[in-house]
Amino acid sequence: MKPTLAWHFVHRPLPGVLRDGRPVVIGETIRHEGALVLCSSGLHASISALDALQYAPGAVICRVRVGGEVLRDTDKLVASERTVLWTVDADAVLRSFARRCALDVIHLWDAPEVVIRYLRTGDESIRSAAGDAAWDAAWDAAGDAAGDAAWDATGNAAWDAAWDAAWAAAWDAAGDATGDAAWDAAWDAAGARQARRLTAMLHAEHRRVVTRGEP
């Protein structure tokens, strides 16, 4: 089968630590012997970085090539061979991504000024205050998804915040569509836009690291 490029998150520190405790080795092809079972047995990855994010155990993302036998699901795959091409610590990227997703829907609610300032600047000195303000505002609005996106973007776990904020933004982007088919199409388009954004940001971070010669 032709090799496929995909994404896979692992633990810190760089270049990464697999779920079983083995260190990531750039360029090494690891192979799985035995049956492939999604979510259970084999070497997992996702074609979309946004899909991979929901399974992330940590903030190091690997660009991988998978091959051999491959089983595919809607948001993940499992393969008998996987090679890590490069890795980056995506923590800062995911925080920025979450803030951008929250800003996409900032016009849909009466956001406190400190929340807007944090989302625009990423100033860590006001993150706690922004989180408290977003929580209070979202609670008052009975769980408004735009407020939830801002709350997620101020969260401590960057990868969880990015995932939640992206889909809260997608939910709102699709919310005005009428009819099931139109809503589904709007939802898919909004999610695809967020996925493209995250992919572009990860590639940009990799280029930045390579250019600066960082490990």
Side-chain angles (χ1 to χ4, degrees):
M1 177 176 290
K2 182 179 178 181
T4 298
L5 293 178
W7 302 92
H8 181 64
F9 278 91
V10 297
H11 297 282
R12 285 167 164 165
L14 285 172
V17 180
L18 300 175
R19 286 169 172 80
D20 62 7
R22 288 180 294 166
V24 169
V25 179
I26 306 297
E28 178 185 58
T29 298
I30 58 176
R31 294 176 174 83
H32 173 78
E33 302 294 337
L36 299 180
V37 181
L38 283 160
C39 301
S40 178
S41 178
L43 303 168
H44 288 80
S46 295
I47 297 299
S48 163
L50 188 59
D51 286 336
L53 187 58
Q54 66 181 310
Y55 300 107
V60 174
I61 191 165
C62 308
R63 189 57 161 157
V64 301
R65 182 177 63 240
V66 298
E69 183 183 358
V70 179
L71 297 180
R72 296 173 181 265
D73 201 352
T74 55
D75 59 359
K76 60 183 174 295
L77 58 81
V78 62
S80 60
E81 297 179 359
R82 187 178 66 207
T83 305
V84 175
L85 304 178
W86 51 263
T87 70
V88 293
D89 188 327
D91 187 80
V93 172
L94 295 176
R95 291 187 188 280
S96 177
F97 174 69
R99 295 196 307 272
R100 292 188 191 186
C101 291
L103 283 170
D104 285 348
V105 291
I106 200 70
H107 61 287
L108 298 178
W109 67 301
D110 186 18
E113 188 276 334
V114 68
V115 172
I116 297 173
R117 185 151 45 96
Y118 173 74
L119 294 178
R120 287 177 175 168
T121 67
D123 182 350
E124 287 297 304
S125 70
I126 61 172
R127 182 163 64 118
S128 179
D132 291 343
W135 173 261
D136 291 343
W139 181 264
D140 291 341
D144 183 276
D148 290 344
W151 163 252
D152 291 332
T154 64
N156 290 321
W159 45 97
D160 290 341
W163 170 260
D164 292 343
W167 288 108
W171 181 277
D172 279 298
D176 292 334
T178 57
D180 291 343
W183 195 94
D184 289 344
W187 170 264
D188 290 343
R193 285 195 297 274
Q194 302 295 13
R196 288 193 297 271
R197 168 187 278 170
L198 178 57
T199 298
M201 292 176 70
L202 291 169
H203 279 297
E205 176 65 7
H206 176 240
R207 289 192 298 271
R208 185 191 68 81
V209 169
V210 169
T211 299
R212 294 181 58 175
E214 297 178 12

